[in-house]
Coordinates of all heavy atoms in Angstrom, one line a residue:
M1 N -25.5 26.8 -4.8 CA -26.5 25.9 -4.1 C -26.4 24.5 -4.7 O -26.3 24.3 -5.9 CB -27.9 26.4 -4.3 CG -28.2 27.7 -3.4 SD -28.8 27.5 -1.8 CE -30.4 26.7 -2.0
G2 N -26.6 23.5 -4.0 CA -26.6 22.2 -4.4 C -25.2 21.5 -4.6 O -25.2 20.3 -5.0
K3 N -24.2 22.3 -4.5 CA -22.8 21.7 -4.7 C -22.4 20.9 -3.4 O -22.5 21.5 -2.2 CB -21.9 22.7 -5.0 CG -21.8 23.2 -6.4 CD -20.7 24.1 -6.7 CE -20.7 24.5 -8.1 NZ -19.8 25.5 -8.5
K4 N -22.2 19.7 -3.6 CA -21.7 18.9 -2.4 C -20.3 18.8 -2.2 O -19.6 17.9 -2.6 CB -22.3 17.4 -2.4 CG -23.8 17.5 -2.4 CD -24.4 16.2 -2.1 CE -25.8 16.2 -1.7 NZ -26.4 14.8 -1.6
W5 N -19.7 20.0 -1.8 CA -18.3 19.9 -1.6 C -18.0 19.4 -0.1 O -18.9 19.4 0.7 CB -17.7 21.3 -1.7 CG -17.6 21.7 -3.1 CD1 -18.4 23.0 -3.5 CD2 -17.0 21.3 -4.2 NE1 -18.2 23.0 -4.8 CE2 -17.3 22.2 -5.2 CE3 -16.0 20.4 -4.3 CZ2 -16.7 21.9 -6.6 CZ3 -15.3 20.3 -5.6 CH2 -15.8 21.0 -6.7
G6 N -16.9 18.9 -0.1 CA -16.5 18.5 1.4 C -17.2 17.2 1.9 O -17.4 16.9 3.0
L7 N -17.3 16.2 0.8 CA -17.7 14.9 1.2 C -16.6 14.2 2.1 O -16.8 13.5 3.1 CB -18.1 14.0 0.1 CG -19.4 14.4 -0.6 CD1 -19.6 13.6 -1.8 CD2 -20.6 14.1 0.3
Y8 N -15.4 14.4 1.5 CA -14.3 13.9 2.3 C -13.7 15.2 3.0 O -13.5 16.3 2.4 CB -13.3 13.4 1.4 CG -13.7 12.1 0.9 CD1 -14.0 12.0 -0.5 CD2 -13.9 11.0 1.6 CE1 -14.5 10.8 -1.1 CE2 -14.3 9.8 1.0 CZ -14.6 9.7 -0.3 OH -14.9 8.5 -0.9
H9 N -13.4 15.2 4.3 CA -12.9 16.3 4.9 C -11.4 16.3 4.7 O -10.6 15.4 5.2 CB -13.1 16.2 6.4 CG -14.6 16.3 6.7 ND1 -15.2 17.6 6.9 CD2 -15.6 15.6 6.9 CE1 -16.5 17.5 7.1 NE2 -16.9 16.2 7.0
V10 N -11.0 17.1 3.7 CA -9.6 17.2 3.3 C -8.9 18.0 4.4 O -9.4 18.9 4.9 CB -9.4 17.9 2.0 CG1 -8.0 18.0 1.6 CG2 -10.3 17.2 1.0
G11 N -7.7 17.7 4.7 CA -6.8 18.2 5.8 C -7.2 17.4 7.0 O -7.5 16.2 6.8
G12 N -6.6 17.8 8.2 CA -6.6 17.0 9.4 C -5.5 16.0 9.1 O -4.4 16.3 8.7
R13 N -5.8 14.8 9.5 CA -4.7 13.8 9.5 C -4.7 12.8 8.4 O -3.8 11.9 8.3 CB -4.7 13.0 10.8 CG -4.2 13.8 12.0 CD -4.2 13.2 13.3 NE -3.3 13.9 14.2 CZ -2.1 13.3 14.6 NH1 -1.9 12.2 14.1 NH2 -1.2 13.8 15.4
S14 N -5.9 12.8 7.6 CA -5.9 11.8 6.5 C -5.5 12.4 5.2 O -6.3 13.2 4.6 CB -7.4 11.3 6.3 OG -8.1 12.1 5.8
Q15 N -4.2 12.0 4.8 CA -3.7 12.5 3.7 C -4.1 11.6 2.6 O -4.1 10.4 2.9 CB -2.2 12.7 3.7 CG -1.4 11.4 3.9 CD -0.3 11.8 4.8 OE1 -0.4 12.0 6.0 NE2 0.9 11.6 4.2
P16 N -4.4 12.1 1.4 CA -4.7 11.0 0.3 C -3.4 10.3 -0.1 O -2.3 10.9 -0.2 CB -5.3 12.0 -0.9 CG -4.7 13.3 -0.5 CD -4.5 13.4 0.9
V17 N -3.6 9.1 -0.4 CA -2.5 8.3 -1.0 C -3.0 7.7 -2.3 O -4.2 7.7 -2.6 CB -2.2 7.1 -0.1 CG1 -1.6 7.6 1.2 CG2 -3.5 6.2 0.3
S18 N -2.1 7.5 -3.2 CA -2.5 6.9 -4.6 C -2.4 5.5 -4.6 O -1.5 5.0 -4.0 CB -1.5 7.6 -5.6 OG -0.3 7.2 -5.4
C19 N -3.4 5.0 -5.3 CA -3.4 3.4 -5.4 C -2.4 2.9 -6.2 O -2.1 3.5 -7.3 CB -4.8 3.1 -6.0 SG -4.9 1.3 -6.3
V20 N -1.7 1.9 -5.8 CA -0.5 1.4 -6.6 C -1.1 0.7 -7.9 O -0.3 0.5 -8.9 CB 0.2 0.4 -5.9 CG1 1.2 1.0 -4.9 CG2 -0.5 -0.7 -5.1
Y21 N -2.4 0.2 -8.0 CA -2.8 -0.4 -9.1 C -3.5 0.5 -10.1 O -3.3 0.3 -11.3 CB -3.8 -1.5 -8.6 CG -3.1 -2.5 -7.7 CD1 -3.6 -2.6 -6.3 CD2 -2.1 -3.2 -8.1 CE1 -3.1 -3.4 -5.5 CE2 -1.4 -4.0 -7.2 CZ -1.9 -4.2 -5.9 OH -1.3 -5.1 -5.0
C22 N -4.3 1.4 -9.7 CA -5.0 2.2 -10.6 C -4.7 3.6 -10.5 O -5.0 4.3 -11.4 CB -6.6 2.0 -10.4 SG -7.2 2.8 -9.0
G23 N -3.9 4.0 -9.5 CA -3.5 5.4 -9.4 C -4.4 6.4 -8.8 O -4.2 7.5 -8.9
R24 N -5.6 5.9 -8.4 CA -6.5 6.7 -7.9 C -6.2 7.3 -6.5 O -5.6 6.6 -5.7 CB -7.9 6.0 -7.8 CG -9.1 6.9 -7.7 CD -10.3 6.1 -7.4 NE -10.4 4.9 -8.3 CZ -11.4 4.1 -8.1 NH1 -12.3 4.2 -7.1 NH2 -11.5 2.9 -8.9
M25 N -6.5 8.5 -6.4 CA -6.2 9.1 -5.0 C -7.3 8.6 -4.0 O -8.5 8.7 -4.3 CB -6.2 10.7 -5.1 CG -5.0 11.1 -5.9 SD -3.4 10.6 -5.4 CE -3.0 11.6 -3.9
T26 N -6.9 8.1 -2.9 CA -7.7 7.6 -1.9 C -7.4 8.0 -0.7 O -6.2 8.2 -0.3 CB -7.7 6.0 -1.9 OG1 -7.8 5.5 -3.2 CG2 -8.7 5.4 -1.0
P27 N -8.4 8.5 0.2 CA -8.0 8.9 1.7 C -7.4 7.8 2.3 O -7.7 6.5 2.1 CB -9.4 9.3 2.2 CG -10.3 9.4 1.1 CD -9.7 8.6 -0.1
K28 N -6.4 8.2 3.1 CA -5.5 7.0 3.8 C -6.3 6.1 4.6 O -6.0 5.0 4.9 CB -4.3 7.8 4.5 CG -3.2 6.8 4.8 CD -2.1 7.7 5.3 CE -0.7 6.8 5.4 NZ 0.2 7.6 6.1
V29 N -7.4 6.8 5.2 CA -8.1 5.9 6.2 C -8.9 4.8 5.3 O -9.3 3.8 5.9 CB -9.1 6.8 7.0 CG1 -8.4 7.6 8.0 CG2 -9.9 7.7 6.0
K30 N -9.3 5.1 4.2 CA -9.9 4.1 3.4 C -9.0 3.2 2.5 O -9.4 2.4 1.8 CB -10.9 4.9 2.4 CG -12.0 5.4 3.1 CD -13.2 5.9 2.2 CE -14.3 6.4 3.1 NZ -15.4 6.6 2.2
A31 N -7.7 3.5 2.4 CA -6.8 2.7 1.6 C -6.4 1.6 2.3 O -6.4 1.5 3.6 CB -5.6 3.6 1.3
V32 N -6.0 0.5 1.7 CA -5.6 -0.7 2.1 C -4.1 -0.8 2.0 O -3.6 -0.8 0.9 CB -6.2 -1.9 1.4 CG1 -5.8 -3.3 2.0 CG2 -7.8 -1.7 1.5
P33 N -3.3 -1.1 3.1 CA -1.8 -1.1 2.9 C -1.4 -2.5 2.3 O -1.9 -3.4 2.6 CB -1.3 -1.0 4.4 CG -2.6 -1.4 5.2 CD -3.7 -1.0 4.4
V34 N -0.5 -2.3 1.5 CA 0.1 -3.5 0.8 C 1.6 -3.4 1.0 O 2.3 -2.5 0.6 CB -0.2 -3.5 -0.7 CG1 0.3 -4.7 -1.5 CG2 -1.7 -3.2 -1.1
M35 N 2.1 -4.5 1.6 CA 3.5 -4.6 1.7 C 4.1 -5.3 0.6 O 3.8 -6.5 0.2 CB 3.8 -5.3 3.0 CG 3.2 -4.8 4.3 SD 3.6 -3.1 4.6 CE 5.4 -3.3 5.2
K36 N 5.2 -4.6 0.1 CA 5.9 -5.2 -1.1 C 7.3 -5.5 -0.6 O 8.1 -4.6 -0.4 CB 5.8 -4.2 -2.3 CG 4.5 -4.1 -2.9 CD 4.6 -3.5 -4.3 CE 3.4 -3.7 -5.2 NZ 3.6 -3.0 -6.5
G37 N 7.7 -6.8 -0.6 CA 9.0 -7.2 -0.3 C 9.9 -7.0 -1.5 O 9.4 -6.8 -2.7
P38 N 11.2 -7.1 -1.3 CA 12.1 -7.1 -2.3 C 12.0 -8.4 -3.1 O 11.5 -9.5 -2.7 CB 13.4 -7.1 -1.6 CG 13.2 -7.7 -0.4 CD 11.8 -7.3 0.0
R39 N 12.3 -8.4 -4.4 CA 12.1 -9.4 -5.3 C 13.3 -10.5 -5.3 O 13.3 -11.3 -6.0 CB 11.9 -9.0 -6.6 CG 10.5 -8.3 -6.8 CD 10.1 -8.2 -8.1 NE 8.6 -7.9 -8.3 CZ 7.9 -7.9 -9.4 NH1 8.6 -8.2 -10.5 NH2 6.7 -7.5 -9.5
I40 N 14.3 -10.2 -4.6 CA 15.5 -11.0 -4.4 C 15.2 -12.2 -3.6 O 14.5 -12.1 -2.6 CB 16.9 -10.3 -4.0 CG1 16.6 -9.6 -2.7 CG2 17.2 -9.3 -5.1 CD1 17.8 -9.1 -2.2
N41 N 15.7 -13.3 -3.9 CA 15.6 -14.5 -3.1 C 16.9 -14.7 -2.3 O 17.9 -15.0 -3.0 CB 15.3 -15.8 -3.9 CG 14.7 -16.8 -3.1 OD1 14.9 -16.8 -1.9 ND2 14.2 -17.9 -3.7
L42 N 17.0 -14.5 -1.1 CA 18.2 -14.7 -0.3 C 18.8 -16.1 -0.4 O 19.9 -16.2 -0.1 CB 18.0 -14.1 1.1 CG 17.8 -12.7 1.2 CD1 17.7 -12.2 2.7 CD2 19.1 -11.9 0.7
R43 N 17.8 -17.1 -0.5 CA 18.3 -18.5 -0.6 C 19.3 -18.7 -1.7 O 20.0 -19.7 -1.7 CB 17.1 -19.3 -0.6 CG 16.6 -19.8 0.7 CD 15.5 -20.5 0.6 NE 14.2 -19.8 0.9 CZ 13.0 -20.3 0.8 NH1 12.8 -21.5 0.6 NH2 12.0 -19.6 0.9
N44 N 19.2 -17.9 -2.7 CA 20.1 -18.0 -3.8 C 21.4 -17.5 -3.6 O 22.3 -17.7 -4.5 CB 19.4 -17.4 -5.0 CG 18.2 -18.1 -5.5 OD1 18.0 -19.3 -5.2 ND2 17.3 -17.4 -6.3
I45 N 21.7 -16.7 -2.6 CA 23.0 -16.2 -2.2 C 23.5 -17.1 -1.1 O 23.1 -17.0 0.0 CB 22.7 -14.6 -1.8 CG1 21.8 -13.9 -2.8 CG2 24.1 -14.1 -1.7 CD1 21.5 -12.5 -2.4
P46 N 24.7 -17.6 -1.4 CA 25.2 -18.4 -0.4 C 26.0 -17.6 0.6 O 26.5 -16.5 0.3 CB 26.3 -19.3 -1.2 CG 26.6 -18.5 -2.4 CD 25.3 -17.7 -2.6
G47 N 26.1 -18.0 1.9 CA 26.9 -17.3 2.9 C 26.3 -16.1 3.4 O 26.9 -15.2 3.8
I48 N 25.0 -16.1 3.4 CA 24.2 -14.8 4.0 C 23.3 -15.3 5.1 O 22.7 -16.3 5.0 CB 23.5 -14.2 2.9 CG1 23.2 -12.7 3.3 CG2 22.1 -14.9 2.5 CD1 22.8 -11.9 2.1
D49 N 23.4 -14.6 6.2 CA 22.5 -14.8 7.3 C 21.3 -14.0 7.1 O 21.3 -12.8 7.1 CB 23.3 -14.5 8.6 CG 22.5 -14.9 9.8 OD1 21.4 -15.6 9.6 OD2 23.0 -14.8 11.0
R50 N 20.2 -14.8 6.9 CA 19.0 -14.1 6.7 C 18.5 -13.2 7.8 O 17.7 -12.3 7.7 CB 17.9 -15.1 6.2 CG 18.0 -15.4 4.8 CD 16.8 -15.9 4.1 NE 16.4 -17.2 4.5 CZ 15.2 -17.7 4.5 NH1 14.3 -17.0 4.0 NH2 15.0 -18.9 4.8
R51 N 18.8 -13.7 9.1 CA 18.3 -13.0 10.1 C 19.1 -11.6 10.4 O 18.6 -10.7 11.1 CB 18.5 -13.7 11.5 CG 17.5 -14.9 11.5 CD 18.0 -15.9 12.5 NE 19.2 -16.5 12.2 CZ 20.0 -17.3 12.8 NH1 19.4 -17.8 14.0 NH2 21.1 -17.8 12.5
R52 N 20.2 -11.5 9.8 CA 20.9 -10.3 9.9 C 20.8 -9.3 8.8 O 21.5 -8.3 8.8 CB 22.5 -10.6 10.2 CG 22.6 -11.6 11.3 CD 24.0 -11.6 11.7 NE 24.6 -10.3 12.2 CZ 25.9 -10.2 12.6 NH1 26.6 -11.2 12.7 NH2 26.3 -8.9 13.0
V53 N 20.1 -9.7 7.9 CA 19.9 -8.9 6.8 C 18.6 -8.1 6.9 O 17.5 -8.7 7.0 CB 19.9 -9.7 5.4 CG1 19.7 -8.7 4.3 CG2 21.2 -10.4 5.2
F54 N 18.7 -6.8 6.7 CA 17.4 -6.0 6.9 C 16.8 -5.9 5.4 O 17.5 -5.5 4.5 CB 17.7 -4.7 7.3 CG 16.6 -3.7 7.2 CD1 15.5 -4.0 8.1 CD2 16.5 -2.7 6.4 CE1 14.4 -3.0 8.1 CE2 15.4 -1.9 6.4 CZ 14.4 -2.1 7.3
L55 N 15.6 -6.5 5.3 CA 15.0 -6.4 4.1 C 13.9 -5.3 4.0 O 13.0 -5.1 4.8 CB 14.1 -7.7 3.7 CG 14.9 -8.9 3.7 CD1 14.1 -10.1 3.5 CD2 15.9 -8.8 2.5
P56 N 14.3 -4.3 3.3 CA 13.3 -3.1 3.2 C 12.0 -3.5 2.6 O 11.9 -4.0 1.4 CB 14.1 -2.1 2.4 CG 15.1 -2.8 1.6 CD 15.4 -4.1 2.3
Q57 N 11.0 -3.1 3.3 CA 9.7 -3.4 2.8 C 9.0 -2.1 2.4 O 9.0 -1.2 3.1 CB 8.7 -4.2 3.7 CG 9.1 -5.7 3.8 CD 7.9 -6.5 4.4 OE1 7.4 -5.9 5.5 NE2 7.5 -7.5 4.0
Q58 N 8.5 -2.1 1.1 CA 7.9 -0.9 0.7 C 6.5 -1.0 1.0 O 5.7 -2.0 0.8 CB 8.1 -0.8 -0.9 CG 8.4 0.4 -1.3 CD 8.6 0.6 -2.8 OE1 8.9 -0.4 -3.4 NE2 8.5 1.7 -3.4
K59 N 5.9 0.1 1.6 CA 4.6 0.1 2.0 C 3.8 0.9 0.9 O 4.0 2.1 0.7 CB 4.3 0.7 3.3 CG 3.0 0.3 3.9 CD 3.0 0.9 5.4 CE 1.7 0.2 6.0 NZ 1.6 0.8 7.4
E60 N 2.9 0.2 0.3 CA 2.0 0.9 -0.7 C 0.7 0.9 -0.3 O 0.2 0.2 0.6 CB 2.3 0.1 -2.2 CG 3.7 -0.1 -2.5 CD 4.2 1.0 -3.3 OE1 3.5 2.0 -3.4 OE2 5.3 0.8 -3.9
Y61 N -0.1 1.5 -1.0 CA -1.5 1.5 -0.8 C -2.4 1.2 -1.9 O -2.1 1.7 -3.0 CB -1.9 3.0 -0.1 CG -1.4 3.2 1.3 CD1 -0.2 3.9 1.4 CD2 -2.1 2.8 2.4 CE1 0.3 4.1 2.7 CE2 -1.6 3.0 3.6 CZ -0.4 3.7 3.8 OH 0.1 3.8 5.1
A62 N -3.5 0.5 -1.7 CA -4.4 0.3 -2.7 C -5.7 0.8 -2.3 O -6.1 0.8 -1.2 CB -4.4 -1.3 -2.9
C63 N -6.6 1.2 -3.3 CA -7.9 1.6 -3.0 C -8.8 0.4 -2.7 O -8.4 -0.7 -3.0 CB -8.4 2.4 -4.3 SG -8.8 1.5 -5.7
I64 N -9.9 0.7 -2.4 CA -10.8 -0.4 -1.9 C -11.1 -1.4 -3.0 O -11.2 -2.5 -2.8 CB -12.1 0.2 -1.2 CG1 -11.8 1.1 0.0 CG2 -13.1 -0.9 -0.9 CD1 -11.5 0.2 1.3
S65 N -11.4 -0.7 -4.1 CA -12.0 -1.7 -5.2 C -10.8 -2.5 -5.7 O -11.1 -3.7 -6.0 CB -12.5 -0.8 -6.3 OG -11.5 0.2 -6.7
C66 N -9.6 -2.0 -5.8 CA -8.4 -2.8 -6.3 C -8.2 -3.9 -5.3 O -7.9 -5.0 -5.5 CB -7.4 -2.0 -6.4 SG -7.4 -1.0 -7.9
A67 N -8.3 -3.4 -4.0 CA -7.9 -4.4 -2.8 C -9.0 -5.7 -2.9 O -8.6 -6.7 -2.7 CB -8.0 -3.8 -1.4
K68 N -10.2 -5.3 -3.2 CA -11.2 -6.3 -3.2 C -11.0 -7.2 -4.5 O -11.2 -8.4 -4.4 CB -12.6 -5.7 -3.3 CG -13.2 -5.3 -2.0 CD -14.6 -4.9 -2.2 CE -15.1 -4.5 -0.8 NZ -16.4 -3.8 -0.9
H69 N -10.7 -6.6 -5.6 CA -10.5 -7.2 -6.8 C -9.3 -8.3 -6.7 O -9.3 -9.3 -7.2 CB -10.2 -6.2 -7.9 CG -10.1 -6.9 -9.2 ND1 -11.3 -7.5 -9.9 CD2 -9.1 -7.1 -10.1 CE1 -10.8 -7.9 -11.0 NE2 -9.6 -7.7 -11.2
R70 N -8.2 -7.9 -5.9 CA -7.1 -8.7 -5.8 C -7.2 -9.6 -4.4 O -6.2 -10.0 -4.0 CB -5.9 -7.8 -5.9 CG -5.5 -7.2 -7.2 CD -4.6 -6.1 -7.2 NE -4.7 -5.5 -8.6 CZ -3.8 -5.9 -9.5 NH1 -3.0 -6.8 -9.3 NH2 -3.9 -5.2 -10.6
R71 N -8.3 -9.5 -3.9 CA -8.5 -10.2 -2.6 C -7.5 -9.9 -1.5 O -6.9 -10.7 -0.8 CB -8.4 -11.7 -2.9 CG -9.6 -12.1 -3.9 CD -9.4 -13.6 -4.3 NE -10.5 -14.0 -5.3 CZ -11.6 -14.6 -4.8 NH1 -11.7 -14.8 -3.6 NH2 -12.6 -14.9 -5.7
L72 N -7.2 -8.6 -1.5 CA -6.3 -8.2 -0.3 C -7.0 -8.2 1.0 O -6.6 -8.1 1.9 CB -5.7 -6.9 -0.6 CG -4.7 -7.0 -1.8 CD1 -4.2 -5.7 -2.3 CD2 -3.5 -7.9 -1.6
I73 N -8.4 -7.9 0.7 CA -9.3 -7.7 2.0 C -10.4 -8.6 1.9 O -10.7 -9.1 0.8 CB -9.7 -6.2 2.3 CG1 -10.4 -5.7 0.9 CG2 -8.7 -5.3 2.6 CD1 -11.2 -4.4 1.2
Ligands
ZN1 ZN1 -7.1 1.2 -7.2

């Protein structure tokens, strides 16, 4: 009695994701997506067409508190 299990409904479609900043597990519906681009600067590479280069963007997630702290939201 008195145990409050199931505050978050685990299962279903919201899988937990880990925050990139603090590593805390956050439900995906509450996480804030952070797009991380590559760190290379294509302008430094001569003879490259930037429109034809696919830059893979890494999608990371941050928890609410980290996102607020870093002004992402
Ligand atoms: Zn966090």
